[in-house]
Amino acid sequence: MEPRNDTQISEFLLLGLSEDPQLQPLFFGLFLSMYLVTVLGNLLIILATIADSQLHTPMYFFLSNLSFVDICFTSTTIPKMLVNLQMQGKVITYAGCITQMCFFTLFVVLDNLLLAVMAYDRYVAICHPLHYIDIMKHMLCGLLVLASWVTSAINALVHSLMVLQLSFCARLEIPHFFCEPNQVVHCACSDTFVNDLLLYIAAVLLGGDLLAGILYSYSKIVSSILKISSARGKYKAFSTCASHLSVVSLFYCTLLGVYLSSAVTQNLRSTATASVMYTVVTPMLNPFIYSLRNKDIKSALKVLFEKIKMSPL
């Protein structure tokens, strides 16, 4: 009997992290707290960069965009998870699943692209400091961010349209807390060769190549720092990119860890648990990394808090 395309009436079941009912209130409180911290922390970074004129530089322009993307990234997955936990449900509609998958793909690729753009910014600042202002002009910065959005949107749209061509024959279970693209594709009962091929191509071009570019930038940065004669000069140069390097390491290590482990283990539930690291924990920690290691952000946040205290209710 040939597969029947029931995609318009199909529902998916998001199995979540655990089926133990006693853990549901704990998960709800934990993820609600993490989500609120993520939104508040990244929102403060955005407000600080807007309020302080000294932070109107390419580095902090890219940082504010990254913070906005991190808010959107977590908002794509966590609210639905919280609703399911609160309502003791697992159902997500077909349209809702495709929409969630589309936005997840958009923002995870956008995160990659912005981290690569920020690495290029640090490369120019440290390796070509005398030409930094001439190279990193406002127009170029705007074009880099726009190109990142357009590239991410096209990639997400292509993957979503390809999933729409698949046939889903029954109500399907996804052993995850959101509609992870790879698992949604493998729930189909039709041929997924083209979808798998596109996923691998995107992983290489928008993952591997960007990571290679970041590593190349930092190899040049390290080489330039080592040429500085004074220890104070080396520390000052390294401190300008330490926060970004920490964020890059955290994001890629958790992301690669999840997908490499999924290739060798058959326990999809454990893979879903590991995915919490790059979908929730990393966006939550980014504001802390930048605020704790960056004096400019610290001072801007202090000024922002003082303005909030002095403002009338």
Side-chain angles (χ1 to χ4, degrees):
M1 185 176 182
E2 294 184 358
R4 183 169 56 91
N5 190 344
D6 288 336
T7 52
Q8 293 185 359
I9 59 172
S10 292
E11 292 179 336
F12 292 91
L13 292 180
L14 297 175
L15 301 184
L17 300 177
S18 174
E19 296 183 4
D20 187 349
Q22 295 182 348
L23 292 177
Q24 306 308 309
L26 176 63
F27 282 147
F28 180 83
L30 177 62
F31 282 95
L32 177 61
S33 301
M34 295 172 72
Y35 178 65
L36 292 176
V37 170
T38 301
V39 173
L40 179 61
N42 283 287
L43 188 60
L44 285 174
I45 294 292
I46 296 172
L47 293 176
T49 56
I50 294 174
D52 193 336
S53 59
Q54 293 184 349
L55 300 185
H56 293 174
T57 63
M59 174 182 174
Y60 296 109
F61 171 69
F62 296 135
L63 175 59
S64 61
N65 277 274
L66 180 67
S67 295
F68 174 74
V69 171
D70 281 341
I71 292 174
C72 296
F73 187 27
T74 54
S75 298
T76 300
T77 57
I78 302 305
K80 177 58 181 177
M81 178 188 186
L82 293 174
V83 169
N84 283 354
L85 288 171
Q86 183 66 20
M87 302 299 294
Q88 298 293 318
K90 300 178 181 179
V91 174
I92 183 171
T93 63
Y94 173 78
C97 187
I98 298 300
T99 302
Q100 187 183 68
M101 186 194 70
C102 179
F103 280 104
F104 171 82
T105 305
L106 169 68
F107 292 121
V108 73
V109 171
L110 195 50
D111 244 338
N112 282 318
L113 288 167
L114 287 176
L115 288 174
V117 168
M118 294 173 74
Y120 173 71
D121 172 72
R122 292 299 84 205
Y123 161 75
V124 176
I126 294 176
C127 298
H128 304 283
L130 299 178
H131 302 286
Y132 180 75
I133 297 177
D134 294 329
I135 296 175
M136 301 303 295
K137 294 182 178 180
H138 294 301
M139 180 173 291
L140 177 62
C141 295
L143 288 174
L144 287 172
V145 171
L146 178 61
S148 299
W149 275 94
V150 171
T151 302
S152 302
I154 292 174
N155 175 71
L157 184 61
V158 169
H159 284 293
S160 300
L161 290 176
M162 291 304 300
V163 171
L164 289 174
Q165 305 304 313
L166 297 175
S167 296
F168 297 92
C169 307
R171 197 168 77 162
L172 303 168
E173 295 182 347
I174 300 176
H176 219 298
F177 62 91
F178 68 95
C179 290
E180 199 274 333
N182 189 52
Q183 293 194 24
V184 172
V185 167
H186 289 124
C187 284
C189 56
S190 55
D191 185 25
T192 62
F193 174 77
V194 177
N195 300 79
D196 290 332
L197 182 62
L198 284 174
L199 286 172
Y200 289 133
I201 292 174
V204 172
L205 295 180
L206 300 175
D209 284 356
L210 290 175
L211 178 58
I214 292 173
L215 294 176
Y216 175 78
S217 296
Y218 273 100
S219 68
K220 293 295 184 181
I221 289 172
V222 171
S223 178
S224 296
I225 291 176
L226 292 176
K227 293 177 182 178
I228 300 175
S229 56
S230 66
R232 184 176 181 180
K234 290 181 180 179
Y235 174 78
K236 185 177 180 180
F238 179 75
S239 64
T240 62
C241 58
S243 298
H244 176 255
L245 184 59
S246 300
V247 171
V248 168
S249 301
L250 182 63
F251 181 80
Y252 276 100
C253 286
T254 54
L255 185 62
L256 291 174
V258 168
Y259 285 98
L260 289 177
S261 64
S262 65
V264 297
T265 182
Q266 299 299 320
N267 191 343
L268 297 178
R269 186 61 65 83
S270 64
T271 301
T273 304
S275 298
V276 173
M277 288 301 298
Y278 77 91
T279 58
V280 184
V281 176
T282 299
M284 181 184 67
L285 292 180
N286 286 353
F288 293 99
I289 293 173
Y290 274 101
S291 60
L292 292 176
R293 300 182 63 92
N294 191 300
K295 293 181 180 179
D296 294 333
I297 292 291
K298 283 182 181 179
S299 60
L301 288 174
K302 288 180 181 178
V303 172
L304 181 63
F305 287 138
E306 290 177 359
K307 289 182 178 180
I308 293 174
K309 289 180 181 179
M310 295 177 62
S311 61
L313 295 175

